[in-house]
Amino acid sequence: MSNDVIVVGGGVIGLTTAIVLAESGRRVRVWCRQPPQESTSAVAGGLWWPYRIEPEERVGDWALTSLRVYEELTLKPEETGVRLVDGLHAGARLGGLGPWAAEVPGLREGPEGLRARLPLIDMPTHLGWLERRLVEAGGTVEIRDAERLPDAPLVVNCTGLGARGLVPDPQVRPVRGQLVVVENPGIREWYTSVEDEGEESTYFMPQPYGLLLGGTAQEDDWNLAPDPATAERIIARCALIHPEIAEARVLGHRVGLRPVRESGVRIERQLSPTGGALVHNYGHGGAGVTVAWGCAEEAAALATTPSG
């Protein structure tokens, strides 16, 4: 069987899957519409935590596998973009989490919610590091817009929201996230609130490039343009937690479309119409970073399973 693999999709899911395959001896080519640092993954807040992802019974194992990897990567934060940062999930309770929570070091419940020291990932830096690691393993990244999944002996589909048209899979749909980047007025801990309802939420993440404020969860909204009124509300909500945020200089705005799938993440192998192997790894919603390595290992294992 040929060692060649085409991975379609250059976000965090595609790159981690490509790395696992390349480091196992495969010749890997990644096809992506834009450079990885311009993908949806680059917009993510970057906090390790299962969020808007199904199926619940499988997410824990994927997330814990990824957590162990990120803990190792915190040894070189400037290079990998991964740091361990303290913070608060306001209003969250241990009883509302799955068995995976018992495996998270230092996760503890207090009057305000859950406190933890978790990986917080500077996504543009991390995506650059992933791409370099792939290249060092012999892989390549090609900027090309695939109108259809390629006809090749082995293809891994990590196209995220693109899977809606490429597979096609009508279960995949966008959940729009808008964020604001401001100068950090000295905040060192991340914060999220589970008490928000509807399309708007409150969270902030201290990143090397500034304080990332969020956010929104607007279902079936394809609009990639930042909305000024939404940005103002995001800043106002975050300023209720830290008033100094209200006066922080705005550095930029970000919008990303989370690739949510109604029945959850799809990791599955099937025959292509020409008899090749097609492995799917998409539908990670708002937690692609959180489960990336666990899903990559499972998808790569399916990709290396002999046919027949």
Side-chain angles (χ1 to χ4, degrees):
M1 184 173 65
S2 170
N3 273 335
D4 292 341
V5 186
I6 297 175
V7 175
V8 187
V12 67
I13 297 296
L15 289 178
T16 51
T17 302
I19 287 168
V20 173
L21 286 164
E23 292 182 350
S24 71
R26 295 276 180 160
R27 291 191 295 269
V28 181
R29 298 158 62 196
V30 173
W31 290 8
C32 47
R33 288 182 304 171
Q34 65 260 333
Q37 289 164 298
E38 297 176 15
S39 66
T40 299
S41 296
V43 181
L47 180 68
W48 180 95
W49 191 258
Y51 171 73
R52 281 186 172 265
I53 183 170
E54 298 285 345
E56 185 177 346
E57 66 272 12
R58 304 191 67 195
V59 167
D61 288 341
W62 294 332
L64 290 173
T65 295
S66 304
L67 176 62
R68 306 307 175 228
V69 174
Y70 293 134
E71 287 172 339
E72 294 180 6
L73 297 183
T74 61
L75 298 176
K76 297 182 178 179
E78 295 82 7
E79 182 179 338
T80 66
V82 185
R83 299 167 294 136
L84 285 175
V85 180
D86 292 311
L88 171 69
H89 288 299
R93 294 289 177 257
L94 288 173
L97 305 178
W100 58 268
E103 304 293 325
V104 179
L107 181 63
R108 61 200 183 278
E109 184 174 315
E112 296 177 290
L114 296 179
R115 286 205 156 270
R117 184 172 175 83
L118 299 175
L120 181 59
I121 303 163
D122 169 3
M123 288 307 298
T125 296
H126 186 60
L127 289 164
W129 176 80
L130 288 173
E131 185 174 358
R132 291 192 300 274
R133 178 168 167 176
L134 173 62
V135 171
E136 289 171 2
T140 60
V141 175
E142 303 174 20
I143 308 302
R144 54 192 298 170
D145 194 356
E147 296 182 358
R148 61 184 63 86
L149 292 173
D151 180 12
L154 181 55
V155 175
V156 184
N157 169 28
C158 300
T159 54
L161 195 57
R164 180 178 175 88
L166 285 173
V167 174
D169 186 345
Q171 287 195 49
V172 179
R173 55 191 181 84
V175 174
R176 181 180 180 273
Q178 179 169 329
L179 306 95
V180 183
V181 184
V182 301
E183 282 188 346
N184 192 337
I187 295 168
R188 298 189 177 185
E189 294 193 348
W190 52 265
Y191 173 94
T192 75
S193 174
V194 301
E195 297 172 345
D196 298 298
E197 296 182 358
E199 295 184 340
E200 298 191 337
S201 59
T202 305
Y203 62 85
F204 45 82
M205 314 287 175
Q207 295 285 10
Y209 52 80
L211 187 65
L212 192 63
L213 313 178
T216 66
Q218 298 161 313
E219 297 185 2
D220 300 309
D221 188 336
W222 294 83
N223 183 14
L224 286 169
D227 175 63
T230 299
E232 289 181 6
R233 291 195 299 272
I234 289 172
I235 294 170
R237 289 196 303 274
C238 292
L240 291 175
I241 311 302
H242 281 289
E244 59 269 36
I245 290 175
E247 304 301 324
R249 184 166 69 95
V250 174
L251 302 177
H253 301 270
R254 296 181 175 183
V255 175
L257 305 181
R258 304 176 184 94
V260 171
R261 185 169 182 266
E262 291 176 13
S263 59
V265 176
R266 184 183 185 189
I267 303 182
E268 180 183 357
R269 177 185 170 117
Q270 62 179 192
L271 286 178
S272 69
T274 57
L278 173 61
V279 175
H280 297 289
N281 183 12
Y282 66 87
H284 301 83
V289 175
T290 298
V291 299
W293 290 96
C295 290
E297 290 186 5
E298 186 168 325
L302 289 178
T304 54
T305 300
S307 300

